[in-house]
Amino acid sequence: MKVAVLGLGAEGLKAVESLRRRGHRVYASDIRADIDLNLEGVDVDLGFHDTERIASSDAVVVSPSIFGTGLWESFSDRLLCRVLRGHRDPVTVAVTGTNGKTTTASMIAHVLESSGWRVLLGGNAGGGFDGYTEIILRAAEEEFDYIVVEVCDMTLEFASECFDIDLAVVTNLGEDHLNFHGSMENYRESMASFLEGRAVVISADEPHLEELTSGARSVMEYTPYRGELVLEGEFNRLNAGAAAEALKFLGVPSDVISRHLSVFRPVAGRIRSFTVNDALVVAGKTDNPHAMRALLRESNFDVIFLGTPRRSEEWRLGILDEIAESPPEILVLFPGLDDTIDMALEHLEDRGIPSEILTVHDPGDIPEMVREFSREYRRILVAGNGQDVIIRVQEELEGLASCL
């Protein structure tokens, strides 16, 4: 099959990878001319989209950022999610919101799979999954009973178009992707539109619950899960509460839910705890102010390592404002998604934070620094932006913890 992939951000690149791995012929294009790509065996145009080559393709994959544009409309009848239909058949659960999406989606998939169902778990490429195209392709190749898809808040309209969603699960709405939404009000409006006409699972404590669910077909409210969990933190009890309510909607018995949730392990890159030299070391992605606020509400830390965001996402530096409310003795800045330590230092200038501020430009140095700090300090946090970096740190910490 000849497939055109339009837009080569995270989602587009994952789509190219998924298609190429299956032997499809791929044409890819992006309006940006200054991106550095190495797509061996793929015809690529940068700076423009060749509409003739797109029109000659059997199917088209369009980046969520192009949704609703003239380009989308021109080739809407040839979208891969319309050409292939396998992903339309299984019962589909969409998990969206600001924080906890991956954990909640993974919990739902874990319980269903452990109960003997065939489950496809996936999501947007920016969230650590292999992208929406991988879900569509896999569902065309294999039979599944359920699809559990994590939906980024920037791709709500796209997901509505490409998936037949039977249940929407909302974790929370916090300050995330404001460069895309423009304001929290816009974000809430987009979410309300996404939930319209659907069965919805949403937190009983959501402050804008009525506004968000006024058009929903049915609403099920969840509260923190109080059963046995391996995962730590009240925020994970909220994730488990959302998962449990979704599973009840799907008809899974309560005793089955509790049995399988009790052994669910943390997802790579998400919050985990380690013991190093008798010090508690907590590490995991905490990439927006809302997530950091939830974490610091439960515990103070003597030392915080913080990964910095992309230069285009300055609003994420609000994480530092949350830290300034509960300042550690030492704050260590490291490159998370970009080396924007300079931006973080500038943001801190007017905050009057009393912490000693250090910088480390090679994240590979963090585990040894943690080991050294753990000899003096009792509570250490490695968090912020940069999931891949934090996963590597977690792997090193696991080795450190087991050796001491």
Side-chain angles (χ1 to χ4, degrees):
M1 182 166 62
K2 291 193 300 183
V3 184
V5 177
L6 314 184
L8 293 172
E11 194 69 33
L13 290 174
K14 284 290 188 181
V16 170
E17 183 181 322
S18 292
L19 290 162
R20 188 169 52 172
R21 188 168 61 248
R22 290 169 169 84
H24 297 295
R25 288 175 290 165
V26 180
Y27 163 72
S29 60
D30 196 294
I31 58 170
R32 297 170 297 168
D34 58 346
I35 53 178
D36 185 21
L37 298 173
N38 181 21
L39 298 177
E40 187 177 345
V42 177
D43 293 330
V44 179
D45 282 328
L46 298 179
F48 68 100
H49 301 290
D50 188 330
T51 54
E52 289 187 10
R53 299 193 71 176
I54 300 168
S56 69
S57 299
D58 300 308
V60 179
V61 173
V62 179
S63 167
S65 63
I66 302 176
F67 178 86
T69 65
L71 197 61
W72 169 286
E73 297 297 337
S74 297
F75 301 102
S76 61
D77 62 334
R78 216 169 304 177
L79 295 175
L80 185 69
C81 63
R82 291 179 176 169
V83 172
L84 300 180
R85 304 289 302 176
H87 62 291
R88 303 282 185 179
D89 298 330
V91 174
T92 299
V93 180
V95 181
T96 189
T98 301
N99 305 120
K101 296 185 295 295
T102 302
T103 296
T104 302
S106 298
M107 284 177 166
I108 295 169
H110 166 76
V111 173
L112 290 172
E113 200 164 49
S114 299
S115 302
W117 299 103
R118 297 166 299 182
V119 183
L120 175 55
L121 170 66
N124 54 289
F129 289 101
D130 289 331
Y132 295 127
T133 297
E134 179 68 16
I135 298 174
I136 294 165
L137 292 171
R138 280 202 62 194
E141 298 163 345
E142 306 172 49
E143 290 188 4
F144 293 96
D145 301 302
Y146 293 94
I147 291 177
V148 182
V149 56
E150 177 183 316
V151 177
C152 172
D153 57 271
M154 295 190 295
T155 64
L156 295 171
E157 291 180 290
F158 178 91
S160 288
E161 181 71 28
C162 284
F163 295 96
D164 291 342
I165 298 169
D166 297 284
L167 175 66
V169 180
V170 184
T171 56
N172 58 13
L173 270 71
E175 306 94 329
D176 203 2
H177 300 131
L178 295 184
N179 56 329
F180 174 82
H181 296 295
S183 68
M184 284 300 298
E185 181 179 4
N186 290 342
Y187 180 12
R188 289 193 296 271
E189 287 178 3
S190 295
M191 184 63 74
S193 178
F194 178 74
L195 301 180
E196 189 170 356
R198 293 197 164 109
V200 176
V201 168
I202 191 168
S203 172
D205 290 333
E206 167 54 51
H208 299 278
L209 192 150
E210 187 173 335
E211 173 190 345
L212 292 170
T213 60
S214 60
R217 185 174 77 248
S218 61
V219 179
M220 292 141 284
E221 300 175 15
Y222 69 86
T223 57
Y225 182 74
R226 292 307 172 199
E228 184 180 348
L229 283 181
V230 174
L231 275 63
E232 306 167 48
E234 190 67 11
F235 48 88
N236 275 324
R237 291 203 167 273
L238 283 167
N239 296 334
E245 195 63 38
L247 289 160
K248 289 176 190 175
F249 173 84
L250 298 174
V252 181
S254 295
D255 62 323
V256 174
I257 295 171
S258 60
R259 182 167 70 250
H260 294 310
L261 282 183
S262 70
V263 296
F264 178 82
R265 307 295 301 180
V267 178
R270 272 51 180 184
I271 293 294
R272 292 180 60 191
S273 294
F274 307 85
T275 301
V276 180
N277 287 326
D278 293 327
L280 174 69
V281 181
V282 178
K285 187 181 80 163
T286 313
D287 62 355
N288 60 71
H290 189 280
M292 182 60 75
R293 188 181 313 136
L295 186 57
L296 295 181
R297 188 181 295 133
E298 296 189 31
S299 180
N300 290 325
F301 294 92
D302 305 309
V303 181
I304 296 179
F305 290 79
L306 188 76
T308 60
R310 294 184 182 89
R311 199 164 293 277
S312 61
E313 296 180 332
E314 187 172 354
W315 58 269
R316 289 191 187 274
L317 292 174
I319 297 171
L320 290 167
D321 299 331
E322 299 299 330
I323 292 174
E325 293 293 319
S326 304
E329 289 192 42
I330 299 174
L331 173 62
V332 184
L333 302 174
F334 67 89
L337 295 171
D338 279 343
D339 190 348
T340 50
I341 291 174
D342 59 331
M343 201 164 74
L345 290 171
E346 184 179 348
H347 186 89
L348 284 169
E349 281 183 3
D350 299 326
R351 298 305 183 276
I353 185 169
S355 309
E356 178 184 358
I357 299 174
L358 305 176
T359 62
V360 54
H361 290 273
D362 182 358
D365 294 336
I366 293 174
E368 185 56 35
M369 293 178 70
V370 168
R371 185 208 289 263
E372 290 302 314
F373 282 131
S374 70
R375 302 184 193 282
E376 181 179 354
Y377 299 99
R378 296 297 85 198
R379 303 184 68 84
I380 300 171
L381 173 66
V382 183
N385 293 264
Q387 176 175 267
D388 291 344
V389 172
I390 290 173
I391 288 175
R392 290 195 294 273
V393 171
Q394 285 181 335
E395 291 169 348
E396 292 287 335
L397 290 174
E398 192 163 11
L400 267 182
S402 63
C403 290
L404 297 175

